[in-house]
Coordinates of all heavy atoms in Angstrom, one line a residue:
R260 N 102.4 82.6 106.6 CA 103.7 82.7 105.9 C 103.9 81.9 104.7 O 104.4 82.3 103.7 CB 104.9 82.6 106.9 CG 105.0 83.6 108.0 CD 106.5 83.6 108.6 NE 106.7 82.3 109.3 CZ 106.3 82.1 110.6 NH1 105.8 83.0 111.3 NH2 106.5 80.9 111.1
A261 N 103.5 80.7 104.8 CA 103.6 79.7 103.7 C 102.8 80.2 102.5 O 103.2 80.1 101.4 CB 103.2 78.3 104.1
R262 N 101.6 80.8 102.8 CA 100.6 81.2 101.7 C 101.2 82.4 101.1 O 101.1 82.6 99.8 CB 99.3 81.6 102.4 CG 98.1 81.3 101.5 CD 96.8 81.8 102.2 NE 96.8 81.3 103.5 CZ 96.1 81.9 104.4 NH1 95.4 83.1 104.2 NH2 96.1 81.4 105.7
L263 N 101.9 83.3 101.9 CA 102.4 84.5 101.3 C 103.7 84.3 100.6 O 104.2 85.3 99.9 CB 102.7 85.6 102.4 CG 101.5 86.1 103.2 CD1 101.9 87.0 104.4 CD2 100.6 86.9 102.2
S264 N 104.3 83.1 100.6 CA 105.5 82.9 99.9 C 105.4 82.6 98.4 O 106.4 82.5 97.7 CB 106.2 81.7 100.6 OG 106.5 82.0 102.0
A265 N 104.2 82.6 97.9 CA 103.9 82.4 96.5 C 102.7 83.1 96.1 O 101.9 83.6 96.9 CB 103.8 80.9 96.3
P266 N 102.5 83.3 94.8 CA 101.2 84.0 94.3 C 100.0 83.2 94.8 O 100.0 82.0 94.8 CB 101.3 83.9 92.8 CG 102.8 83.8 92.5 CD 103.4 83.1 93.6
I267 N 99.0 84.0 95.1 CA 97.7 83.3 95.5 C 96.7 83.5 94.3 O 96.3 84.6 94.1 CB 97.2 84.0 96.9 CG1 98.3 83.9 97.9 CG2 95.9 83.3 97.3 CD1 97.9 84.7 99.2
E268 N 96.3 82.4 93.7 CA 95.5 82.6 92.6 C 94.0 82.4 92.8 O 93.2 82.9 92.1 CB 95.9 81.4 91.6 CG 97.4 81.6 91.1 CD 97.8 80.5 90.2 OE1 96.9 79.6 89.9 OE2 98.9 80.6 89.7
D269 N 93.6 81.7 93.9 CA 92.2 81.5 94.2 C 91.6 82.8 94.8 O 92.1 83.3 95.8 CB 92.1 80.3 95.2 CG 90.6 80.1 95.5 OD1 89.9 79.4 94.7 OD2 90.2 80.5 96.6
D270 N 90.5 83.3 94.2 CA 89.9 84.5 94.7 C 89.5 84.4 96.2 O 89.6 85.4 96.9 CB 88.7 84.9 93.8 CG 89.2 85.4 92.4 OD1 90.4 85.7 92.3 OD2 88.3 85.4 91.4
A271 N 88.8 83.4 96.4 CA 88.3 83.2 97.8 C 89.5 83.2 98.8 O 89.5 83.8 99.9 CB 87.5 81.9 98.0
L272 N 90.6 82.6 98.4 CA 91.8 82.6 99.3 C 92.4 83.9 99.4 O 92.9 84.3 100.5 CB 92.8 81.6 98.7 CG 94.0 81.1 99.8 CD1 93.3 80.6 101.0 CD2 94.8 80.0 99.1
V273 N 92.4 84.7 98.3 CA 92.9 86.1 98.4 C 92.1 86.9 99.4 O 92.6 87.6 100.2 CB 92.8 86.7 97.0 CG1 93.1 88.2 97.1 CG2 93.9 86.1 96.1
E274 N 90.7 86.8 99.3 CA 89.9 87.5 100.2 C 90.2 87.1 101.6 O 90.2 87.9 102.6 CB 88.4 87.3 99.8 CG 88.0 87.9 98.5 CD 88.3 89.5 98.5 OE1 88.0 90.1 99.6 OE2 88.8 90.0 97.6
G275 N 90.3 85.8 101.9 CA 90.6 85.4 103.2 C 91.9 85.9 103.7 O 92.1 86.3 104.9
T276 N 92.9 85.9 102.9 CA 94.2 86.4 103.3 C 94.2 87.9 103.6 O 94.9 88.3 104.5 CB 95.2 86.1 102.1 OG1 95.3 84.6 101.9 CG2 96.6 86.5 102.6
L277 N 93.4 88.6 102.8 CA 93.3 90.0 103.0 C 92.7 90.3 104.4 O 93.1 91.1 105.2 CB 92.4 90.7 101.9 CG 93.0 90.9 100.6 CD1 92.0 91.4 99.6 CD2 94.2 91.9 100.7
D278 N 91.7 89.5 104.7 CA 91.0 89.6 106.1 C 92.0 89.3 107.1 O 92.0 90.1 108.2 CB 89.8 88.7 106.2 CG 88.7 89.1 105.3 OD1 88.6 90.3 104.9 OD2 87.7 88.3 105.0
E279 N 92.8 88.3 107.0 CA 93.8 88.0 108.0 C 94.8 89.1 108.2 O 95.2 89.4 109.2 CB 94.5 86.6 107.7 CG 93.7 85.4 107.9 CD 94.6 84.2 107.6 OE1 95.6 83.9 108.4 OE2 94.2 83.4 106.7
L280 N 95.3 89.6 107.0 CA 96.3 90.7 107.1 C 95.8 91.9 107.7 O 96.5 92.6 108.4 CB 96.9 90.9 105.7 CG 97.7 89.8 105.1 CD1 98.0 90.2 103.5 CD2 99.1 89.7 105.8
R281 N 94.6 92.3 107.4 CA 93.9 93.4 108.0 C 93.9 93.4 109.5 O 94.0 94.5 110.1 CB 92.5 93.7 107.4 CG 92.6 94.1 106.0 CD 91.2 93.9 105.3 NE 91.3 94.3 103.8 CZ 90.4 93.9 102.9 NH1 89.3 93.1 103.3 NH2 90.5 94.3 101.6
A282 N 93.7 92.3 110.0 CA 93.8 92.1 111.5 C 95.1 91.8 112.2 O 95.2 91.7 113.3 CB 92.7 91.0 111.9
H283 N 96.1 91.7 111.3 CA 97.5 91.3 111.8 C 98.2 92.5 112.3 O 98.1 93.5 111.8 CB 98.3 90.6 110.6 CG 99.4 89.8 111.1 ND1 100.6 90.3 111.5 CD2 99.5 88.4 111.2 CE1 101.4 89.4 111.8 NE2 100.8 88.2 111.7
P284 N 99.1 92.2 113.4 CA 99.8 93.3 114.0 C 100.8 93.9 113.0 O 101.3 95.0 113.1 CB 100.6 92.6 115.1 CG 99.8 91.4 115.4 CD 99.1 90.9 114.2
A285 N 101.2 93.2 111.9 CA 102.1 93.7 110.9 C 101.5 94.9 110.2 O 102.3 95.8 109.8 CB 102.3 92.6 109.8
M286 N 100.2 95.1 110.1 CA 99.6 96.3 109.5 C 99.8 97.5 110.4 O 100.2 98.6 109.9 CB 98.1 96.1 109.3 CG 97.7 95.1 108.3 SD 98.3 95.6 106.7 CE 97.0 96.9 106.2
A287 N 99.8 97.4 111.7 CA 100.0 98.5 112.6 C 101.5 98.8 112.5 O 101.9 100.0 112.6 CB 99.7 98.1 114.0
E288 N 102.4 97.8 112.4 CA 103.8 98.0 112.3 C 104.1 98.8 111.0 O 105.0 99.7 111.0 CB 104.6 96.7 112.3 CG 106.0 96.8 112.4 CD 106.8 95.5 112.6 OE1 106.1 94.4 112.8 OE2 108.0 95.5 112.5
A289 N 103.5 98.4 109.9 CA 103.7 99.0 108.6 C 103.2 100.4 108.7 O 103.9 101.4 108.2 CB 103.0 98.3 107.5
R290 N 102.1 100.7 109.3 CA 101.6 102.1 109.4 C 102.6 103.0 110.3 O 102.9 104.1 109.9 CB 100.2 102.1 110.1 CG 99.1 101.6 109.1 CD 97.7 101.8 109.8 NE 96.6 101.5 108.9 CZ 96.0 100.3 108.8 NH1 96.3 99.4 109.6 NH2 95.0 100.2 107.9
A291 N 103.1 102.3 111.3 CA 104.1 103.1 112.2 C 105.3 103.4 111.3 O 105.9 104.5 111.5 CB 104.4 102.2 113.3
Y292 N 105.7 102.6 110.4 CA 106.9 102.8 109.6 C 106.6 104.1 108.7 O 107.4 104.9 108.5 CB 107.2 101.6 108.8 CG 108.6 101.7 108.1 CD1 109.7 101.1 108.7 CD2 108.7 102.4 106.9 CE1 111.0 101.2 108.0 CE2 110.0 102.5 106.3 CZ 111.1 101.9 106.9 OH 112.3 102.0 106.3
V293 N 105.4 104.0 108.1 CA 105.0 105.1 107.1 C 104.9 106.4 108.0 O 105.4 107.5 107.5 CB 103.7 104.8 106.4 CG1 103.2 106.0 105.6 CG2 103.9 103.6 105.5
H294 N 104.3 106.3 109.1 CA 104.3 107.6 110.0 C 105.7 108.2 110.2 O 105.9 109.3 110.2 CB 103.5 107.3 111.3 CG 102.0 107.3 111.2 ND1 101.2 108.2 111.7 CD2 101.2 106.5 110.5 CE1 100.0 108.0 111.5 NE2 99.9 106.9 110.7
A295 N 106.6 107.2 110.6 CA 108.0 107.6 110.9 C 108.6 108.3 109.7 O 109.3 109.3 109.8 CB 108.7 106.5 111.4
E296 N 108.4 107.7 108.5 CA 109.0 108.3 107.3 C 108.4 109.7 106.9 O 109.1 110.6 106.5 CB 108.8 107.3 106.1 CG 109.7 106.1 106.1 CD 111.1 106.5 105.9 OE1 111.5 107.1 104.9 OE2 111.8 106.2 106.8
A297 N 107.1 109.9 107.2 CA 106.5 111.1 107.0 C 107.0 112.2 108.0 O 107.2 113.3 107.6 CB 104.9 111.0 107.2
D298 N 107.2 111.7 109.2 CA 107.7 112.6 110.3 C 109.1 113.0 109.9 O 109.5 114.2 110.1 CB 107.7 111.9 111.6 CG 106.3 111.8 112.2 OD1 105.4 112.4 111.6 OD2 106.1 111.0 113.1
A299 N 110.0 112.1 109.4 CA 111.3 112.4 109.0 C 111.3 113.4 107.8 O 112.2 114.3 107.8 CB 112.0 111.1 108.7

Side-chain angles (χ1 to χ4, degrees):
R260 287 198 300 271
R262 212 182 315 150
L263 294 175
S264 298
I267 305 174
E268 298 179 356
D269 181 79
D270 287 344
L272 196 54
V273 168
E274 290 302 320
T276 304
L277 285 172
D278 288 340
E279 284 187 64
L280 288 171
R281 287 165 183 160
H283 197 281
M286 290 295 284
E288 189 177 349
R290 287 188 173 96
Y292 192 98
V293 172
H294 279 247
E296 284 297 298
D298 289 343

